[in-house]
Amino acid sequence: MITLTPLDEAALARLLEAAVAGADPLEVMPPVDGPPGWTPTRREAFLAFHRARSLNPATAVERTWVIDADGTAVGAARLEPHGDAVEAGIWLSRDARGRGIGKQVTALLLAEARKSGAARFIASTTAGNHGARALLSGTGAALTAEGDEVAAELRLGGAAAAGRE
Ligand SMILES: CC(C)(COP(=O)(O)OP(=O)(O)OC[C@H]1O[C@@H](n2cnc3c(N)ncnc32)[C@H](O)[C@@H]1OP(=O)(O)O)[C@@H](O)C(=O)NCCC(=O)NCCS
């Protein structure tokens, strides 16, 4: 069963394990200088990244969830408010890809986005990311390409869309 667990320190430790075991650092966080791979510096940067973006109320900009498959962390999902929109993001560890998990997580994220009252669900990916593009078109979102960037937008008809705050 696929569930979303709100990020906390315990979930973050599990998430780092999943990232180290099955993802490239560049797939899951901004670039960090130094030799390739999951160096101690990069592991620390991964923790600092999520603490700053989600866990520390003074600096948080997004909600993050650990994606659990039958209780094991296999990736992360996030929603970041931008005005009347929420931007979604997902990554899965390699073993978890291509098994329909992304589709289930996208549905769960959409439900959270609707609950938040956002008017629009947005996401961006790259032209070569066929999995992400398929997930986004599957929601009914409109995809527009500009160079290598692909932007997706789906109107949700939430409270903000109806002019109710
Ligand atoms: C992108 C990602 C989240 C997709 O999740 P997933 O669980 O692998 O995707 P699913 O198995 O749910 O498949 C969803 C759809 O994408 C298609 N798909 C998945 N991977 C694909 C691939 N590599 N090439 C082409 N189509 C692909 C599936 O066929 C399915 O299509 P359908 O709805 O027509 O049946 C996942 O592969 C991932 O984490 N990749 C690495 C990180 C990343 O790129 N994140 C997104 C950044 S924008």
Side-chain angles (χ1 to χ4, degrees), residues 27 90-93 96-104 124-126 129-132 134-135:
E27 290 175 327
I90 302 177
W91 65 261
L92 292 171
S93 61
R97 294 177 197 165
R99 289 167 24 191
I101 296 176
K103 214 166 175 173
Q104 292 182 63
S124 61
T125 188
T126 49
N129 195 332
H130 298 286
L135 280 184

Side-chain angles (χ1 to χ4, degrees), residues 65-116:
W65 294 267
V66 170
I67 301 166
D68 280 308
D70 297 327
T72 299
V74 295
R78 67 183 195 96
L79 285 179
E80 178 180 356
H82 289 286
D84 70 345
V86 278
E87 182 186 76
I90 302 177
W91 65 261
L92 292 171
S93 61
R94 278 184 284 272
D95 290 351
R97 294 177 197 165
R99 289 167 24 191
I101 296 176
K103 214 166 175 173
Q104 292 182 63
V105 172
T106 302
L108 293 171
L109 273 185
L110 257 179
E112 286 291 343
R114 287 207 162 89
K115 254 203 296 191
S116 78

Side-chain angles (χ1 to χ4, degrees), residues 8-89:
D8 59 15
E9 280 293 334
L12 179 57
R14 298 194 297 113
L15 185 61
L16 174 61
E17 254 181 69
V20 169
D24 186 272
L26 282 176
E27 290 175 327
V28 301
M29 70 172 177
V32 172
D33 284 342
W38 283 104
T39 57
T41 309
R42 247 183 224 111
R43 290 173 198 231
E44 210 36 66
F46 181 87
L47 298 174
F49 174 72
H50 284 295
R51 286 179 183 135
R53 291 187 62 90
S54 291
L55 295 183
N56 179 350
T59 57
V61 293
E62 66 189 1
R63 286 199 291 161
T64 301
W65 294 267
V66 170
I67 301 166
D68 280 308
D70 297 327
T72 299
V74 295
R78 67 183 195 96
L79 285 179
E80 178 180 356
H82 289 286
D84 70 345
V86 278
E87 182 186 76

